[in-house]
Amino acid sequence: MPRKTLIKKCAVCGRTITSQFAKYCCDCALLVIHVNRAKLPRKAARRIYRYVRKHGYVCYYTGMRLDVTDSHSPWYFVLDHWKPGDNRKVVLTSALINGMKSDLTEREFWYMIRQLADFKRLGTPVRKIRLSLWNREYIKGCEDIEVQVSCERKCCICGQPVYFYNAQFCRKCHLISRRIDESQLPLEAAKSLWDYVRKHGHVCYYTGMPLDFDDYRSAWHFTFEHVAPGDSTKVVLASALLNEMKSDLSEDEFWYYIKQLDNYKRKHTGIRKRKLVYWYRLHPVKDALGAQML
Ligand SMILES: [Zn+2]
Ligand SMILES: [Zn+2]
């Protein structure tokens, strides 16, 4: 009598598994580790497993196929809090979209994508909205700067009145200068930044939006942004939000994905992946797993 082979199925995705001792396929074994480490409520965990069983490893927001093997990849699957800070609903997305979404809700994320795409295509100004769950602090320090009114001296960078009678900068340039010192920006980068301010003023390099210099908790507060990630020779001003959304993308790649995402949302056209030049992030769970296996 030939021995009957038992067909075993993965407890998450339902695919056939070859090992009789395993409960999950290789992909789902990793997913379970992610979910366990995230300490999600049981209901949220079950929701993810149901999602994988139904759709497979595809991004919740974009329908893109996710990478389950290469933790360096921008398409590597990660768990994303659908509503920032709330672990009752967690969804699957790629490392890239997770970075771009940052502290935005889904509705705010798509709003920003639409606004940015319209700005790039049609030149319509980006309209700010109050972000309900934005919770990132950037540069502190503007609170303690007293501004003297009617200073006649002009800022050596932008030509606005200086903030104090014997100062060389206006209040905004003073804050930038302080940030340059604090972040120990190389001389070359500082020079490029001042050139930028001279030319464009205190506006976001990517969107032309006026930047906030008062509330360091604001998503529109100024930050230093490396145009090419990791290259400190060209630094510009950008809002905290843009800085997060651009993540490790080059300028060209950033606009490419903004348009692709907008097209996907408007016309349901598939997003075409493009190899990212600067992207190099390791997913910590996969990394830790790799180390355990060594
Ligand atoms: Zn599976
Ligand atoms: Zn100035």
Side-chain angles (χ1 to χ4, degrees), residues 155-161 169-174 194 197 202:
C155 169
C156 63
I157 302 291
C158 70
Q160 298 290 311
F169 296 121
C170 68
R171 183 174 169 280
K172 291 177 182 175
C173 291
H174 174 70
W194 286 130
V197 178
H202 306 101

Side-chain angles (χ1 to χ4, degrees), residues 189-205:
K191 192 178 166 305
S192 98
L193 187 63
W194 286 130
D195 286 345
Y196 169 81
V197 178
R198 263 188 214 103
K199 199 169 164 193
H200 304 281
H202 306 101
V203 296
C204 173
Y205 172 80

Side-chain angles (χ1 to χ4, degrees), residues 11-13 31 42-56:
V12 172
C13 70
L31 174 70
R42 213 180 281 173
K43 218 170 160 186
R46 277 206 298 265
R47 191 199 290 263
I48 294 174
Y49 298 148
R50 268 203 309 276
Y51 175 86
V52 170
R53 199 177 186 97
K54 191 170 175 193
H55 304 281

Side-chain angles (χ1 to χ4, degrees), residues 210-223:
L211 295 168
D212 189 313
F213 281 77
D214 298 311
D215 178 10
Y216 63 88
R217 292 188 187 91
S218 162
W220 315 106
H221 195 273
F222 85 93
T223 63

Side-chain angles (χ1 to χ4, degrees), residues 233-275:
T233 55
K234 191 176 179 191
V235 175
V236 293
L237 295 183
S239 67
L241 177 61
L242 250 285
N243 203 327
E244 288 293 332
M245 289 187 82
K246 187 168 165 282
S247 63
D248 276 354
L249 303 178
S250 71
E251 188 176 357
D252 188 41
E253 290 163 351
F254 172 66
W255 289 118
Y256 172 81
Y257 279 109
I258 291 291
K259 286 180 194 164
Q260 287 280 312
L261 285 163
D262 186 54
N263 282 341
Y264 167 78
K265 194 66 182 166
R266 275 182 213 245
K267 309 173 200 162
H268 300 289
T269 48
I271 296 170
R272 284 166 62 185
K273 290 179 187 173
R274 205 169 115 173
K275 195 173 150 23

Side-chain angles (χ1 to χ4, degrees), residues 34-278:
H34 281 249
V35 169
N36 289 345
R37 292 212 176 168
K39 295 190 169 59
L40 300 180
R42 213 180 281 173
K43 218 170 160 186
R46 277 206 298 265
R47 191 199 290 263
I48 294 174
Y49 298 148
R50 268 203 309 276
Y51 175 86
V52 170
R53 199 177 186 97
K54 191 170 175 193
H55 304 281
Y57 286 86
V58 298
C59 170
Y60 172 84
Y61 301 108
T62 63
M64 293 170 84
R65 187 146 291 285
L66 298 169
D67 192 322
V68 283
T69 50
D70 178 11
S71 56
H72 289 280
S73 163
W75 316 111
Y76 189 66
F77 78 98
V78 298
L79 301 175
D80 179 76
H81 289 86
W82 180 70
K83 190 174 165 189
D86 182 349
N87 65 4
R88 285 174 303 172
K89 183 175 174 184
V90 172
V91 297
L92 275 193
T93 186
S94 63
L96 175 65
I97 300 296
N98 180 253
M100 290 181 90
K101 188 170 163 281
S102 61
D103 273 356
L104 304 178
T105 63
E106 185 176 5
R107 191 188 65 80
E108 291 165 351
F109 173 67
W110 287 118
Y111 172 85
M112 281 309 299
I113 295 291
R114 172 73 53 94
Q115 288 282 311
L116 289 167
D118 282 350
F119 168 76
K120 194 63 183 170
R121 284 200 194 102
L122 316 164
T124 47
V126 176
R127 285 169 61 185
K128 290 180 191 176
I129 44 164
R130 204 185 73 76
L131 302 177
S132 53
L133 296 164
W134 182 264
N135 187 23
R136 299 189 184 208
E137 294 183 356
Y138 277 80
I139 308 148
K140 283 190 186 182
C142 18
E143 321 81 52
D144 58 342
I145 296 173
E146 267 185 51
V147 179
Q148 284 192 348
V149 276
S150 71
C151 289
E152 280 183 17
R153 274 180 76 169
K154 299 284 184 242
C155 169
C156 63
I157 302 291
C158 70
Q160 298 290 311
V162 294
Y163 75 100
F164 194 71
Y165 73 94
N166 63 351
Q168 55 170 329
F169 296 121
C170 68
R171 183 174 169 280
K172 291 177 182 175
C173 291
H174 174 70
L175 286 169
I176 293 171
S177 152
R178 207 151 91 165
R179 184 70 190 140
I180 288 175
D181 294 343
E182 282 165 4
S183 57
Q184 298 179 337
L185 210 62
L187 215 60
E188 201 183 352
K191 192 178 166 305
S192 98
L193 187 63
W194 286 130
D195 286 345
Y196 169 81
V197 178
R198 263 188 214 103
K199 199 169 164 193
H200 304 281
H202 306 101
V203 296
C204 173
Y205 172 80
Y206 299 100
T207 62
M209 294 167 82
L211 295 168
D212 189 313
F213 281 77
D214 298 311
D215 178 10
Y216 63 88
R217 292 188 187 91
S218 162
W220 315 106
H221 195 273
F222 85 93
T223 63
F224 290 176
E225 217 285 321
H226 293 84
V227 177
D231 175 5
S232 56
T233 55
K234 191 176 179 191
V235 175
V236 293
L237 295 183
S239 67
L241 177 61
L242 250 285
N243 203 327
E244 288 293 332
M245 289 187 82
K246 187 168 165 282
S247 63
D248 276 354
L249 303 178
S250 71
E251 188 176 357
D252 188 41
E253 290 163 351
F254 172 66
W255 289 118
Y256 172 81
Y257 279 109
I258 291 291
K259 286 180 194 164
Q260 287 280 312
L261 285 163
D262 186 54
N263 282 341
Y264 167 78
K265 194 66 182 166
R266 275 182 213 245
K267 309 173 200 162
H268 300 289
T269 48
I271 296 170
R272 284 166 62 185
K273 290 179 187 173
R274 205 169 115 173
K275 195 173 150 23
L276 303 179
V277 179
Y278 299 99

